[in-house]
Amino acid sequence: MAAVFTPIHPRPAPVRTSGPVAWVRANLFANKASTVATLAFLALALWLVPPLASWAVVHAVLRPDADACQAARGTGACWGVITEKWRFIVFGRYPFESQWRPEVATLLLLGLVVVSCIRAFWKPWLAVIWVAVIPAFFVLMGGGYLGLDKVPTDLWGGLPLTVMLATFGIAFAFPLAVLVALGRRSHLPAIRSLCIVYVELIRGVPLISVLFMASFLFPLFLPVGKSPDVLVRVLVGITLFAGAYLAEIVRGGLQAIPTGQVEAARTLGLGYWQTQRKVVLPQALALVVPGIMNSFIAIFKDTSLVTIVSLYELTGALNLALNSDANWRPFKIEGYFFIVLVYFAFCFAMSRYSLWIERRLGASRQR
Amino acid sequence: MPDPIIVFDKVNKWYGDDFHVLRDIDLQVPPGERIVICGPSGSGKSTLIRCINRLEEHQQGRVVVDGIELADDVKAIERVRKQVGMVFQQFNLFPHLSVIDNLTLSPMWVGKMPKKEAEERAMEQLKRVRIAEQANKFPLQLSGGQQQRVAIARALCLKPKIMLFDEPTSALDPEMIKEVLDVIVELASQGITMLCVTHEMGFAKAVANRVIFMDQGQIVEENNPHDFFDHPKSERTRDFLSKILGH
Amino acid sequence: MNRGPSLPPRRRVWSWRSEAFRGLVFQVVAVALIGFGVWYLAQNTLANMHARGIQSGFDFMKQPAGFDIGETLFHYDALDPYWKAFLVGVANTLRVAIVGVIVATLLGAAIGIGRFSRNAIVRGLCYAYVELFRNVPVLIQLLMWYLFFTDWLPPMLDAPSLAGLFYVSKAGFSFPVPVWTHAHALAGIGLVIGIAAAFAYRRWARRRFEATGQVRSLILAPIGIVIGFAVLGWLAGGAPTAWSIPKPQGFVMEGGASATPEFVAVLLGLVFYTAAFISEVVRAGIASVAHGQVEAAGSLGLSRTHAMRLVILPQALRVIIPPLTNQYLNLTKNSSLAVAIGYPDVVSIANTALNQTGRAVECIAIIMLVYLTTSLSTSAVMNWYNRRAAIKER
């Protein structure tokens, strides 16, 4: 045993574990299997990437020239179809000169969605803005007031339609979902049963059947002679559909609030509705915002189905653009890649944003 | 003097490139010795004992346990682990198995014992830690102190030569610490080699042959308990003791 | 006399102050409102249907359907009644759903496990796959696969083939099938007997393990037994080796069996989309097992395989299975999009029937009934499993 203690100073490790060389060794060549995999993938890349790059970039046609595209068929991609048709795909049949209106309207909605996720903006005036935006959107898109030309709803299409259906679907479904979630937790059996039936019914069937229901049955439900707009019918269908899923998410948030909160509120003399409004819901909603964002992304993707009930969102607009134009019809695949890019960009960005929000909301609760 | 059952020879370990967590550790443990390792957090005491059953890998030096050197040889590691039992701070019982199944898992699957024999051995160990009546319960149905005692019994089912305790009472409520320490004290009187990382200094005085103080990856001082607590040699040891014995 | 303090007599309070009374009133009002709403909608519906001359009732199901169906699992022609047409649709839905679930699970599990690989290229590719296929709507994926099959693949005459046995063309995917004789029926019976024998073997091997501690193979041996019995059956039937090989003859594929481009497009679209979600479920399940469990298993001397099988997988599966069944249900519901490609699933057939007979309420009700039955029965099984497998707590 040492009589006098001499401290040992830290030394650097003999074999470096960080830095590019160490990373390559650990992540690409760690053991036999890993080495084999790395080499196999490199070989695969060498075999696939050159012809792919040749088709997609080198021999691709960017100019909106149908003849050049035909000539390059098989060897080069025809991105010219996008250069030629992108405005139709993105905006549908909306009149060309007025396309700034759906642009502004869409940005307005998206901005509102982004802002609504940030805790700092959860003030009463946010709800007022949401309520005000709805008529503002319809005026901007539909026109007829403020000197804007009237544009009937069956000309609305493309990306603005997708954003509108998703945003309003979630916005209208949200109050419904809160009521249904509260109802499902109620002690009154009749209320609880009604809410359970609604949720389980809608969640058990595909969206297409709800859209069919909205499309074919909704006109039958109204008094004879009245026929609602296709857009309204589809919006009702999407709202009902989103409502059931959102209700489950809100219910999850409500369940996460400890019963002690409700007990404390009762001892302070608050009634049922007061407790929900002032104590339970504010806390629960902070928990469910990530879930609502995920629902928004899912509904955003699901709006692609409205093409089956004859509304021309992105996919429908693409088919409309190309089916009637024999020059460009052979290049549908390139058109589809464009739509894939648009959807991927939106959904990926929204899911990243949702993760960021989740981390921020969670951080405020960590000690 | 019998051959030491654990040997650390100039052992160095790093986390990443720059965190030198074990610095030139030289340690020899004769069989049957009971060692308590103490020190501030981050001093490397848990890392040290985890190197004994290869839960951590050292980069320099040699670690020899029961005559078997710990290196990359997987078979050697498995042989060592059959001789070394470990009790964790977070118990780490398997929640999907009942208490008795937790205990018979290793004897049956590693020791190739028939089920009846394994269960007899399990009940023997459960009686030893005084928790035999909970044999058919599930871990999450027990209190923290009960879970830790089950964990000790599970490690003992291997009939190991060496028992490692990594802060066994740090995750327990105060009223449950005594029941676990009593079990370890009883074990100590039965001749098993023990290394225990703990802050419970009363326990150290009662049970240990040797107390080791570690700080910043190095063994600063080791001594028998009496001399360690009453006549600490190093300034750092004195400083540490004043902090933890003060209240 | 002990009487205790005198209390006011108990009264049932039927006033606005009683919570029970309020609850009752609330419920009665709610039910009445909903009831009135339903009555109002029903009135309008009947009026509208009368105005448009649409009949109601399910009696149309017995009438001949009058349309052909592109692919059927059993015999059907245009003279068969509507209910048979719907049955064909249900069979087609189940066909693509079951195959899809199996393939998607395998692919999704592989990718989910691949996210933990030590090789950065494998990890990166798995991550890229998940992000790409999750963020594009499934309808678009279906349409693209269909376009690929109908536009890009060569027609049957120029179809590329693998060793002259497998053909991929605009007509779909063709593969050889053995010529069905009684030997194959016997092989099928052998398979069933083999499965029963495999279970019996497992029980025997378990009991031997508990009695003596000797480990018998619990996975390879049963598989061998099942295959062995199937082969025995085939041998007993005379060991026929005749295969029907597909050969393109003009516009038709003679011999072999074909999967139509519609079926393959729906299958591939659903599989690639759902596998991305399944891989996330698997990944979350494996990550949910605390690292301490792995360490404890190791410190007990368990080998990596044993630790995986006895400690990690049981805990991971409890976390994986509920959301996994949710994905299975999603896949089944998404198969309804086949209507966009012309694959005759139940929604597609109901759509045709709806357009032909105008009986919107009935046809949509049938669609919803089919899917509701599937969802509710799967949920019931899932709840039963959850209760059984739940980790017991205080």
Side-chain angles (χ1 to χ4, degrees), chain B residues 222-236:
Chain B
E222 42 183 327
N223 218 331
N224 62 71
H226 172 79
D227 291 329
F228 181 83
F229 289 109
D230 293 334
H231 310 290
K233 294 197 206 102
S234 155
E235 180 65 43
R236 281 206 214 171

Side-chain angles (χ1 to χ4, degrees), chain B residues 11 20-25 42-44 214-219:
Chain B
V11 172
H20 196 174
V21 62
L22 290 179
R23 306 179 193 180
D24 293 338
I25 301 286
S43 54
M214 278 185 75
D215 190 14
Q216 292 186 351
Q218 243 185 293
I219 295 179

Side-chain angles (χ1 to χ4, degrees), chain A residues 116-200:
Chain A
S116 299
C117 291
I118 302 176
R119 212 196 197 121
F121 292 100
W122 290 353
K123 304 268 168 57
W125 47 258
L126 187 65
V128 174
I129 291 186
W130 270 101
V131 172
V133 155
I134 296 167
F137 180 88
F138 280 103
V139 164
L140 196 57
M141 287 283 284
Y145 305 97
L146 302 178
L148 297 167
D149 292 330
K150 219 171 186 320
V151 179
T153 58
D154 50 308
L155 291 186
W156 300 9
L159 193 58
L161 185 67
T162 305
V163 172
M164 177 208 121
L165 286 174
T167 312
F168 285 159
I170 295 274
F172 294 152
F174 186 67
L176 175 66
V178 169
L179 286 175
V180 171
L182 288 175
R184 216 179 146 154
R185 284 163 54 86
S186 153
H187 297 299
L188 309 173
I191 309 282
R192 201 169 61 233
S193 314
L194 282 170
C195 294
I196 292 180
V197 164
Y198 164 67
V199 170
E200 293 305 317

Side-chain angles (χ1 to χ4, degrees), chain B residues 12 23 26 30 58 71 84 93 142 167 236:
Chain B
N12 279 285
R23 306 179 193 180
D26 283 309
H58 56 280
V84 178
L93 292 177
L142 305 176
E167 305 211 35
R236 281 206 214 171

Side-chain angles (χ1 to χ4, degrees), chain C residues 45-129:
Chain C
T45 312
L46 289 173
N48 272 308
M49 285 169 64
H50 185 76
R52 299 183 197 196
I54 306 173
Q55 283 121 357
S56 72
F58 283 94
D59 49 302
F60 77 96
M61 295 282 262
K62 294 204 209 88
Q63 292 161 10
F67 59 89
D68 266 319
I69 299 181
E71 46 186 301
T72 64
L73 211 52
F74 43 84
H75 180 75
Y76 165 88
D77 62 53
L79 296 171
D80 281 322
Y82 274 106
W83 63 262
K84 205 164 181 205
F86 274 104
L87 218 57
V88 171
V90 172
N92 281 336
T93 298
L94 288 177
R95 189 157 67 107
V96 77
I98 292 176
V99 177
V101 154
I102 296 174
V103 181
T105 307
L106 293 171
L107 181 62
I111 296 178
I113 295 175
R115 297 281 298 265
F116 293 102
S117 166
R118 287 179 91 167
N119 185 307
I121 297 186
V122 173
R123 278 202 311 268
L125 283 177
C126 290
Y127 173 72
Y129 174 92

Side-chain angles (χ1 to χ4, degrees), chain A residues 1-19 22, chain B residues 12 14-18 20 23-24 59-60 216 218-220 222-223 233-234 236:
Chain A
M1 258 162 276
V4 172
F5 167 63
T6 48
I8 302 172
H9 293 285
R11 306 191 291 272
V15 180
R16 295 206 65 81
T17 55
S18 65
Chain B
N12 279 285
W14 287 263
Y15 281 135
D17 279 336
D18 300 306
H20 196 174
R23 306 179 193 180
D24 293 338
Q59 276 96 29
Q60 263 182 10
Q216 292 186 351
Q218 243 185 293
I219 295 179
V220 176
E222 42 183 327
N223 218 331
K233 294 197 206 102
S234 155
R236 281 206 214 171

Side-chain angles (χ1 to χ4, degrees), chain C residues 230-242:
Chain C
V231 168
L232 271 177
W234 174 71
L235 283 172
T241 52

